[in-house]
Amino acid sequence: NIEKVSRRTIYDSEKYAAGVYPTVTEYSFTKDMGIEDIGAYWGESVEKGDTLVYGDTEKMDEQIEAMQEKIADMDTSMTEALQDLNDTLAAPKEELKRMKGIVDAYASAKPAEKVPQSSIVPNGSDEMVTNPEYTKWYKESEMWTGKYKVLEHNIKIQEDGYNQRKALYDLERAYLNDKLALMKKERKNCTLTARKNGDVVAMKTADDNGNWNAQKDQAVVAMGNMDEKVIKSEFINKRKATLAKEMYALINGVRYEVEYHPIDNDEYTKLSESGVTVYTEFTFLSDCSDVKIGDFVTICVLYQKEENALSVPVEAIHKDSGIQFVYVMKDGQSVRTTVT
């Protein structure tokens, strides 16, 4: 048989079956949690901010209440300590003010330290001698200054003691407030609320023993949004996606540009080992208003494209020792020609 050679565009590509689905958002708790109640059941429509699941917060509420009481007791104790200090130092501080007045009065009434002898002794000389009034003033001034400093020191000791206690109280209260804020944040996370509008499409149920518990990061409820569309295809690993020159979707004969969303190796291993079918997800980059939920999709992964290439039917290609060749008619003769 003789076949004519033709020129055509040759593709090195793969195709994967896929479908159009609504976006699905899964909700889980950030810690192991018992489920107290359900805010929205399977099939119900919810709006952003609506409660989906109530976690069992009884134990956490008790811990928060205990922490609040502890902080309140600390505040009360510190308030009482300040009041006790003020009551204790009220009289000493009044006495200190009185002494300060006396010390200041002595300072302003300081007599001359040296005076002529004639000013204190009849017929005395002009020689400068110690003033008896200064000696008396100095003794009394030192006495009141000493009393003032002793009382001032005793007051300072008690105030320093309170200030040290207050500094420790401030540090501990700040630590407990941070801890309380974290507990309240965790308490808030015990309630799963919708992050956007949609419909509840799946809900965790109780186990065979009737226990209604959820493990950390385990999906408890799933919401779907029929207005948002995604494509789920047979699994395409990241290596193939990296090698691809183009990846696009064909739906009802129309090409749509899409974005590939890889899955982490650890997550893939975890899902596959648990028996879950792993899919690859794509989102639309071009207008998809004509696409409907449930439409069949072909994901095309193009690795290489050769335009205007000479081609022959595969049946015309022969192999010998790993070398591919065809027979070409030249001047009425069949000539063996190697091809790639």
Side-chain angles (χ1 to χ4, degrees):
N1 293 332
I2 298 176
E3 298 284 350
K4 287 186 176 181
V5 175
S6 61
R7 289 189 178 274
R8 67 184 70 183
T9 301
I10 298 176
Y11 299 90
D12 176 13
S13 63
E14 291 182 331
K15 296 179 180 178
Y16 295 85
V20 179
Y21 295 84
T23 58
V24 175
T25 305
E26 294 182 339
Y27 294 81
S28 59
F29 292 110
T30 56
K31 60 187 295 184
D32 292 350
M33 181 68 59
I35 298 175
E36 178 71 20
D37 199 2
I38 298 297
Y41 288 88
W42 184 87
E44 290 186 13
S45 296
V46 296
E47 295 182 355
K48 180 180 179 180
D50 287 350
T51 299
L52 302 174
V53 180
Y54 296 92
D56 184 359
T57 61
E58 181 178 357
K59 184 177 180 179
M60 186 165 290
D61 288 340
E62 291 175 354
Q63 293 173 341
I64 290 175
E65 183 178 0
M67 181 63 71
Q68 290 173 328
E69 289 178 355
K70 182 176 182 179
I71 293 174
D73 289 343
M74 287 175 55
D75 292 343
T76 299
S77 177
M78 208 64 220
T79 300
E80 291 175 350
L82 178 59
Q83 185 60 51
D84 290 345
L85 179 69
N86 290 335
D87 292 343
T88 301
L89 296 183
K93 284 187 175 182
E94 285 298 319
E95 177 64 11
L96 191 68
K97 288 171 62 177
R98 187 182 75 84
M99 287 185 176
K100 183 69 166 58
I102 293 174
V103 170
D104 289 345
Y106 269 97
S108 61
K110 178 181 179 180
E113 183 176 355
K114 298 289 185 177
V115 293
Q117 185 184 49
S118 59
S119 65
I120 55 176
V121 178
N123 301 319
S125 67
D126 293 334
E127 179 186 358
M128 301 299 289
V129 297
T130 299
N131 184 359
E133 291 297 323
Y134 174 82
T135 302
K136 178 182 177 183
W137 170 89
Y138 180 81
K139 182 178 180 180
E140 293 178 354
S141 177
E142 285 295 297
M143 178 191 71
W144 283 107
T145 299
K147 287 182 177 181
Y148 174 81
K149 288 183 176 180
V150 168
L151 182 57
E152 183 182 46
H153 179 68
N154 290 338
I155 291 174
K156 187 176 185 303
I157 288 176
Q158 295 186 68
E159 289 179 334
D160 287 347
Y162 168 82
N163 289 334
Q164 290 176 6
R165 179 178 174 183
K166 178 68 165 54
L168 293 174
Y169 156 81
D170 289 339
L171 289 173
E172 185 176 6
R173 196 182 194 285
Y175 167 75
L176 294 180
N177 272 335
D178 289 343
K179 194 172 181 180
L180 179 61
L182 182 60
M183 292 168 67
K184 288 182 176 181
K185 183 178 179 180
E186 290 182 356
R187 169 67 171 79
K188 186 177 180 181
N189 290 337
C190 292
T191 301
L192 299 180
T193 56
R195 295 191 288 272
K196 55 186 177 181
N197 299 345
D199 300 315
V200 178
V201 296
M203 179 73 65
K204 178 178 173 56
T205 57
D207 60 24
D208 295 337
N209 298 319
N211 297 318
W212 210 4
N213 299 314
Q215 296 178 349
K216 176 184 176 182
D217 297 329
Q218 179 187 45
V220 177
V221 60
M223 280 183 55
N225 189 328
M226 304 300 286
D227 295 327
E228 296 180 0
K229 305 160 192 169
V230 295
I231 297 173
K232 290 186 178 180
S233 78
E234 299 173 84
F235 180 69
I236 305 172
N237 63 43
K238 286 191 284 187
R239 180 178 177 277
K240 290 185 176 182
T242 302
L243 293 174
K245 287 183 168 54
E246 291 184 52
M247 296 180 74
Y248 57 90
L250 284 178
I251 306 174
N252 298 323
V254 179
R255 171 171 170 160
Y256 292 87
E257 302 305 320
V258 293
E259 180 178 356
Y260 167 82
H261 295 279
I263 185 172
D264 291 335
N265 292 334
D266 291 344
E267 186 177 358
Y268 173 79
T269 302
K270 179 180 177 182
L271 291 173
S272 59
E273 289 180 350
S274 64
V276 176
T277 301
V278 183
Y279 297 96
T280 293
E281 187 172 293
F282 294 85
T283 51
F284 287 94
L285 295 176
S286 53
D287 178 44
C288 61
S289 56
D290 293 335
V291 177
K292 296 181 177 58
I293 301 296
D295 279 350
F296 178 79
V297 181
T298 299
I299 294 294
C300 300
V301 182
L302 178 63
Y303 300 110
Q304 191 170 355
K305 180 179 178 181
E306 188 72 34
E307 296 183 350
N308 201 31
L310 284 172
S311 62
V312 296
V314 68
E315 293 82 0
I317 299 176
H318 305 276
K319 286 186 178 180
D320 182 13
S321 300
I323 298 175
Q324 298 184 116
F325 62 91
V326 296
Y327 290 99
V328 180
M329 294 299 296
K330 292 184 178 180
D331 300 327
Q333 298 294 319
S334 179
V335 180
R336 174 171 165 164
T337 304
T338 302
V339 295
T340 57

